Amino acid sequence: MGAMESTILNPSSKTARPSSSEAVDRLSTLLDRFHVRASLFHAGPLCGRTSFECQPDRAFLHVLRRGRLQIEHPQGGPALKRVVVDTPTLVLYPRAVHHAFVNPPREGSDFTCATLHFAGGDRNPIVAALPPLVLVPLDATPGLRPALDLLFAETDRMRCGSRLLADRLFEVVLIQLLRWILDHPQAVGVRSGLVMALNHPRLARALVALHAAPQDDWPLARMAAEAGMSRSAFAETFKTITGTTPAAYVTDWKLTVASTLLRAGQPQKLVAAELGFSTASSLSRAFKQRFAASPRKWLAAQG
């Protein structure tokens, strides 16, 4: 594989042992709060140049089943370079990025592709925590093959319900991929932030508890107790790994959840009560400080 060293799997990481943070379910609450929906749009060979345009809140998951692939990013910055992939690989764009596949003109390469819609778009915590492009060879993810075999069986032959079933199977593949990324964050170029914190055995316990109960108060003492650490050690470790303080993360989590609930049409007063704000006005003040707009104006800007 090619030039994106920071986001391409190091083959030696295949033997890495899962962290003890696997004792808690680090993913389900995130996906319950911030749903993801997959939609199959292509299965089969691609020859020549194929462009995938950048559209708001549209992500992509491509599976290169066979062949060789060159990926170009016509509007990419220094983090997105030309990449060559020559082994079966999962190609994930967690947020909108204009990219193009260049395949051999005759034999082509075989793909199964889906668009992804992450609730919350770029503010989705999972999306925000990942690099713009993630490449993971298929043989690097134990347990992925059965889900892929079912997916390919549905896309290779049209049967009743195939498209709907393929969409759900793509979501299964994505969850398998995210599970693997949580155990191997550095292998895909993640060096700090939420994913690294969820990879930390002690921080993960505190974050999972917070994610499950955003309506509660989460002072430093409680978060440290959940992690089994002293307050000073927890605060220092949390800031080093995430780049923010525990208090700032708690507020940001509450407001990120609030933005999703408001966008789904839930009244501001109910959102405030569900997330532990004393009044709708207190939610509005915190929201304005975080998003530089009141909930009403922010919703209007979202269309």
Side-chain angles (χ1 to χ4, degrees):
M1 293 187 195
M4 290 194 59
E5 183 179 351
S6 65
T7 58
I8 298 178
L9 171 68
N10 180 346
S12 64
S13 65
K14 294 180 189 178
T15 58
R17 291 179 299 173
S19 70
S20 58
S21 56
E22 189 62 38
V24 295
D25 185 344
R26 299 162 287 165
L27 197 54
S28 290
T29 301
L30 285 171
L31 292 174
D32 280 341
R33 287 284 185 184
F34 299 92
H35 300 155
V36 59
R37 186 176 71 250
S39 181
L40 173 76
F41 70 90
H42 176 81
L46 289 173
C47 300
R49 183 183 180 88
T50 307
S51 290
F52 303 92
E53 300 298 328
C54 177
Q55 294 185 13
D57 293 347
R58 186 175 73 169
F60 286 92
L61 178 57
H62 308 283
V63 184
L64 173 63
R65 298 174 62 180
R66 288 181 292 275
R68 184 177 184 273
L69 167 66
Q70 178 176 296
I71 309 175
E72 297 178 352
H73 301 95
Q75 301 169 3
L80 286 169
K81 303 176 182 178
R82 181 177 298 177
V83 182
V84 174
V85 182
D86 55 12
T87 187
T89 297
L90 291 171
V91 182
L92 171 65
Y93 288 91
R95 45 193 170 273
V97 173
H98 182 194
H99 56 289
F101 288 173
V102 182
N103 303 111
R106 292 186 179 178
E107 64 271 23
S109 299
D110 195 7
F111 292 89
T112 304
C113 306
T115 56
L116 303 175
H117 175 76
F118 287 94
D122 289 354
R123 290 190 177 90
N124 183 300
I126 296 172
V127 170
L130 293 175
L133 170 61
V134 174
L135 298 170
V136 177
L138 300 190
D139 62 4
T141 49
L144 182 62
R145 179 55 61 180
L148 285 174
D149 287 343
L150 288 171
L151 174 63
F152 298 154
E154 292 301 323
T155 58
D156 286 345
R157 196 178 101 192
M158 182 58 65
R159 290 177 288 180
C160 293
S162 286
R163 178 171 293 277
L164 290 176
L165 186 53
D167 291 347
R168 301 294 80 78
L169 288 169
F170 248 115
E171 292 164 10
V172 171
V173 170
L174 176 65
I175 292 171
Q176 293 268 28
L177 174 60
L178 293 174
R179 177 188 291 174
W180 187 89
I181 289 172
L182 288 178
D183 286 335
H184 308 82
Q186 294 181 328
V188 296
V190 175
R191 300 288 182 265
S192 63
L194 175 61
V195 171
M196 284 298 294
L198 290 173
N199 181 258
H200 188 283
R202 292 182 180 272
L203 295 189
R205 293 202 292 269
L207 285 173
V208 168
L210 163 63
H211 292 164
Q215 72 279 1
D216 290 356
D217 290 329
W218 285 97
L220 177 61
R222 181 180 178 183
M223 296 184 74
E226 290 283 353
M229 302 171 69
S230 70
R231 286 180 292 178
S232 59
F234 178 82
E236 181 180 357
T237 303
F238 194 96
K239 179 69 179 294
T240 299
I241 290 179
T242 67
T244 190
T245 65
Y249 184 89
V250 170
T251 300
D252 194 62
W253 173 251
K254 287 176 178 281
L255 293 175
T256 301
V257 174
S259 68
T260 301
L261 296 175
L262 290 168
R263 200 173 184 181
Q266 191 161 320
Q268 183 176 326
K269 186 175 181 179
L270 292 181
V271 172
E274 183 173 339
L275 295 178
F277 290 91
S278 56
T279 64
S281 296
S282 63
L283 168 61
S284 182
R285 287 193 297 270
F287 198 94
K288 189 172 183 178
Q289 186 174 10
R290 169 66 172 79
F291 295 105
S294 68
R296 181 176 296 178
K297 289 184 178 179
W298 181 83
L299 281 172
Q302 302 303 303

